[in-house]
Amino acid sequence: MPNVDIIIVNWNSGKQLYSCLQSIEIVKIDNLTLGKVIIVDNASVDGSADNLQGLNLPLHIIRNKVNKGFAAACNQGAAISRADYLLFLNPDMRLFENSLSIPIAFMERSENQHIGIVGIQLVDGSGCVSRTCARFPTVKQFFAKMLGLDRLFPHVFHSYFMVEWDHKDSRQVDHVIGAFFLVRRNLFEMLGGFDARFFVYFEDLDFSLRARQLGYSSFYLAEAQAYHKG
């Protein structure tokens, strides 16, 4: 049976962290084992990482005295994992019943062993599907955005985010948003984790690119959902 550890980097997230953890309590784990829920707190001062002991979860809390940045904190959490899968989860997320079981069952299929990263469909408070997947950026895209060509001629100059697609079907993509970033642990180790030179933002995009260069793809799975405040 596959097992997964969940890693949440926290920095002054207020009540969102507790709500996120409460949602993990109700997740179905019929076909998998939930190993650890690892919280890496980056020197929060709002008490958001305190008083979490009442939750029925295998919590492990790492407290940094300084804010080490998102990538470095993710790597800290992953370093104590021995699970088959790592789920990097933002504290402004709330999981639904099948948010874990569906994507892990998908990755366990023999024909999907080349898929190293999976994201799922994210919805807002109104149930609207967020457009979260992205392309690997190019110089052409940057110049098109600077000149406004992506807005004038969207069918010719595609933006970095895949906003022209409604995200209601599953497909292979360049990159899934790091708010729900499910990764094979052996791939994470092969790549040496996230590049800690990225203090925050783009560390997940860099990881997706390096995974692709090793022959592992990213996949967006619309059959599973979770709530993302954003």
Side-chain angles (χ1 to χ4, degrees):
M1 184 179 292
N3 51 74
V4 59
D5 285 347
I6 299 175
I7 299 167
I8 303 171
V9 175
N10 182 64
W11 182 69
N12 296 324
S13 64
K15 296 179 180 178
Q16 291 183 128
L17 175 62
Y18 196 83
S19 295
C20 176
L21 293 172
Q22 282 182 311
S23 76
I24 297 172
E25 288 185 303
I26 65 165
V27 168
K28 276 188 179 178
I29 52 171
D30 297 339
N31 63 338
L32 59 95
T33 300
L34 176 60
K36 303 182 186 79
V37 178
I38 303 164
I39 299 167
V40 185
D41 186 69
N42 261 339
S44 294
V45 295
D46 67 345
S48 51
D50 300 330
N51 303 314
L52 303 177
Q53 292 75 17
L55 294 159
N56 185 28
L57 291 171
L59 286 180
H60 293 251
I61 303 176
I62 300 171
R63 297 182 185 274
N64 290 331
K65 293 182 179 180
V66 297
N67 188 344
K68 294 187 176 183
F70 184 77
C74 284
N75 292 344
Q76 275 184 281
I80 67 169
S81 173
R82 294 296 177 267
D84 302 311
Y85 297 95
L86 301 172
L87 173 61
F88 296 95
L89 192 68
N90 279 10
D92 62 346
M93 294 284 301
R94 291 205 298 267
L95 301 185
F96 300 153
E97 245 188 15
N98 297 316
S99 297
L100 276 181
S101 58
I102 290 177
I104 289 180
F106 175 80
M107 293 184 84
E108 282 288 292
R109 295 177 193 164
S110 59
E111 66 269 25
N112 292 334
Q113 296 307 300
H114 67 287
I115 296 172
I117 304 161
V118 166
I120 63 175
Q121 191 179 82
L122 304 185
V123 299
D124 62 18
S126 302
C128 296
V129 177
S130 302
R131 302 186 183 195
T132 54
C133 295
R135 302 176 176 87
F136 293 135
T138 64
V139 173
K140 177 183 175 182
Q141 284 172 353
F142 281 121
F143 275 107
K145 188 168 185 65
M146 287 169 59
L147 299 172
L149 297 175
D150 58 331
R151 294 185 296 277
L152 290 171
F153 308 104
H155 297 295
V156 178
F157 298 96
H158 292 300
S159 67
Y160 159 64
F161 283 107
M162 301 175 73
V163 294
E164 76 287 351
W165 163 45
D166 64 10
H167 284 56
K168 292 183 180 179
D169 61 288
S170 300
R171 62 176 68 176
Q172 183 173 311
V173 295
D174 284 349
H175 174 62
V176 297
I177 190 173
F180 183 107
F181 202 74
L182 181 63
V183 184
R184 298 183 189 276
R185 186 173 63 85
N186 63 343
L187 173 61
F188 194 81
E189 291 181 348
M190 278 192 282
L191 292 175
F194 293 113
D195 188 334
R197 291 176 296 179
F198 294 89
F199 187 82
V200 65
Y201 301 127
F202 292 108
E203 73 292 317
D204 51 351
L205 178 67
D206 168 76
F207 186 93
S208 298
L209 178 59
R210 290 189 288 127
R212 175 70 64 84
Q213 290 167 345
L214 274 186
Y216 288 88
S217 59
S218 298
F219 198 89
Y220 170 81
L221 195 63
E223 287 78 12
Q225 294 81 33
Y227 166 81
H228 183 218
K229 183 176 176 62

